Amino acid sequence: MTAPHVVYFGQTPDLGTGSPIILLRHLRRLSANGWKVSVVGESGQSANNAQGWPLHHLSLRKPWWPPFRPDNALLRSVRMRLWAGECAGFFAHPPQAVLTYMSLYSELHSEVAAHYAKRCGAPLSVIVHDYPPDFPEFPRENVEPVLRRQHWILKSAHQIWFVSPELADKYDLPAAKKNVLMPIPEGCATPARWRAELVQRPLIVYAGYSYPAQIPLFRKLARAIDAAGGRLLLLSRKTPELEALCATEPVECRDLFATNREALDFVSSTAAALLVSYCERVEEMPWITTSFPSKFAEFSHTGLPTLLVAPETSAIGAWARRENYPDYLPAAESNPVAAFVEQLKSEAAWSKKSRLVTRFAQTEFNPDVIHAALESKLTNA
């Protein structure tokens, strides 16, 4: 029996953070399940990033092609059809499925994927993690044309996978096409264990990228954790803002590890708990109303108690309310932090919190469950 074939369009799947590693994990699982995987990657990315899968690039220009001007509707439409035809020439037979990720920075490859899927008759699945207008740095003049193109791509899709219900609600699309797919974690962390030394000064770790808008809340939480007899460590790429924070407040900083596995091992062996936090007001980081923090799903597999601190109107705040998650604090509140730190010093209380996080790791944040949902609809409605 011939192996089913999926063609992925977009950023070359790779190790690291963000969407490329999410796609890498899904494609690896598809490959392990017997799928043939091909990648149509963005220009300028090394073939070494393709994990051994065939990697193709779109031609920037051919002598007989008309010029490509992104803002010219006619020239863009002609180029899309030319690129779709070029992609058809990459493969001897049409694939059984086409998969793409709607990048915040460019919808071009997703648009090509939609044209190619239409040309070859394969079902198109689209993963969406971000809503461009929510990002202040996104050029305002590009919002309307980008959303128009996104809407066409998504209307052309067979299935769409949004990272949160709040993000799905941003798009006027048929409910049958809209699915929620959590960011798939690595899922192989060494489970943490309660240790007697936690009684002294339990270490709480924030792991992942940080933004300047998070600094005021980090300051407030660091002071509250310190006053309760705990310590806060920010495992994040060092920035001038973070270094200034560490110079004046009771908080430590450590640079990111080279791989997610190293970070998971470090956190599970040294931390008493995790912190997942954003900022005090959604106006400071508007994208948090729709973006779900992948770090929560990722580090839930350590089983560490996890404190969620974010505005109530954030996607994680809405999730915490839906799940009745007990260790969630609206960003405006810091007084309950002391109770959380104190509970980390009790083996019974720590274990109860750990079991709760582990339950989510085994269900909603289970990579097997997450991937099976995606794979099951690549070819079937």
Side-chain angles (χ1 to χ4, degrees):
M1 181 178 177
T2 304
H5 183 197
V6 59
V7 178
Y8 164 71
F9 285 75
Q11 288 177 281
T12 305
D14 201 5
L15 296 172
T17 59
S19 300
I21 195 170
I22 299 297
L23 270 302
L24 175 65
R25 289 168 178 170
H26 281 298
L27 292 175
R28 277 179 169 172
R29 285 172 175 265
L30 286 172
S31 187
N33 290 347
W35 285 75
K36 176 184 175 183
V37 174
S38 298
V39 176
V40 179
E42 294 183 357
S43 299
Q45 295 182 328
S46 169
N48 295 329
N49 292 334
Q51 303 296 311
W53 301 313
L55 175 63
H56 305 272
H57 288 117
L58 303 173
S59 298
L60 297 180
R61 185 74 186 271
K62 291 186 178 181
W64 58 92
W65 285 6
F68 175 58
R69 297 194 180 99
D71 298 328
N72 183 299
L74 176 60
L75 291 176
R76 189 179 185 106
S77 177
V78 170
R79 179 57 67 88
M80 288 296 159
R81 285 166 173 76
L82 290 169
W83 272 330
E86 182 177 42
C87 292
F90 291 155
F91 313 110
H93 304 286
Q96 279 66 48
V98 176
L99 175 65
T100 188
Y101 159 67
M102 190 78 75
S103 171
L104 172 66
Y105 304 103
S106 173
E107 75 288 352
L108 187 142
H109 270 65
S110 294
E111 192 174 356
V112 177
H115 281 275
Y116 171 65
K118 185 176 181 180
R119 179 185 175 114
C120 72
L124 171 68
S125 296
V126 184
I127 294 175
V128 189
H129 288 164
D130 303 300
Y131 186 63
D134 285 344
F135 290 80
E137 68 271 22
F138 195 86
R140 295 300 98 182
E141 65 273 13
N142 291 351
V143 168
E144 192 277 331
V146 165
L147 287 181
R148 186 175 63 250
R149 288 193 287 267
Q150 280 196 358
H151 193 261
W152 181 84
I153 295 165
L154 296 178
K155 280 185 66 178
S156 304
H158 152 81
Q159 288 292 330
I160 310 159
W161 299 93
F162 295 96
V163 77
S164 70
E166 292 75 22
L167 181 56
D169 288 344
K170 290 283 188 178
Y171 294 90
D172 182 18
L173 295 163
K177 282 189 175 185
K178 296 198 288 189
N179 310 275
V180 173
L181 190 73
M182 286 289 175
I184 186 171
E186 186 162 323
C188 58
T190 302
R193 296 286 183 264
W194 190 86
R195 304 181 306 280
E197 58 264 31
L198 298 183
V199 174
Q200 301 305 315
R201 283 182 64 80
L203 179 66
I204 299 175
V205 176
Y206 170 94
Y209 193 82
S210 60
Y211 294 85
Q214 293 175 266
I215 297 297
L217 185 55
F218 281 151
R219 180 178 294 110
K220 186 187 329 187
L221 291 172
R223 292 176 179 178
I225 291 169
D226 181 68
R231 295 178 294 143
L232 176 62
L233 170 65
L234 305 179
L235 186 60
S236 185
R237 185 178 294 111
K238 288 186 178 179
T239 64
E241 292 86 359
L242 281 185
E243 290 181 342
L245 176 72
C246 293
T248 59
E249 301 295 340
V251 57
E252 305 167 46
C253 292
R254 177 169 181 156
D255 214 342
L256 292 171
F257 287 92
T259 66
N260 288 55
R261 186 56 190 267
E262 289 176 273
L264 287 164
D265 289 344
F266 171 80
V267 169
S268 65
S269 63
T270 62
L274 283 161
L275 169 67
V276 175
S277 69
Y278 278 126
C279 53
E280 296 186 273
R281 300 181 304 112
V282 293
E283 292 80 6
E284 297 165 324
M285 296 172 66
W287 62 92
I288 68 175
T289 59
T290 56
S291 294
F292 190 89
S294 59
K295 63 174 67 69
F296 186 28
E298 185 80 11
F299 285 92
S300 70
H301 288 264
T302 65
L304 282 167
T306 303
L307 179 65
L308 309 179
V309 186
E312 293 183 274
T313 51
S314 65
I316 188 64
W319 178 91
R321 292 194 305 278
R322 285 195 300 271
E323 298 292 338
N324 197 26
Y325 187 78
D327 291 322
Y328 163 71
L329 300 178
E333 299 180 20
S334 61
N335 290 337
V337 170
F340 179 82
V341 174
E342 194 61 31
Q343 289 172 327
L344 300 179
K345 301 174 185 178
S346 160
E347 183 174 5
W350 186 96
S351 298
K352 181 179 179 180
K353 293 179 184 299
S354 176
R355 286 193 296 271
L356 173 63
V357 172
T358 299
R359 178 169 64 82
F360 286 114
Q362 294 172 344
T363 54
E364 194 167 355
F365 302 149
N366 184 328
D368 295 336
V369 172
I370 293 169
H371 177 76
L374 173 70
E375 184 172 357
S376 69
K377 291 191 176 182
L378 281 179
T379 60
N380 301 309

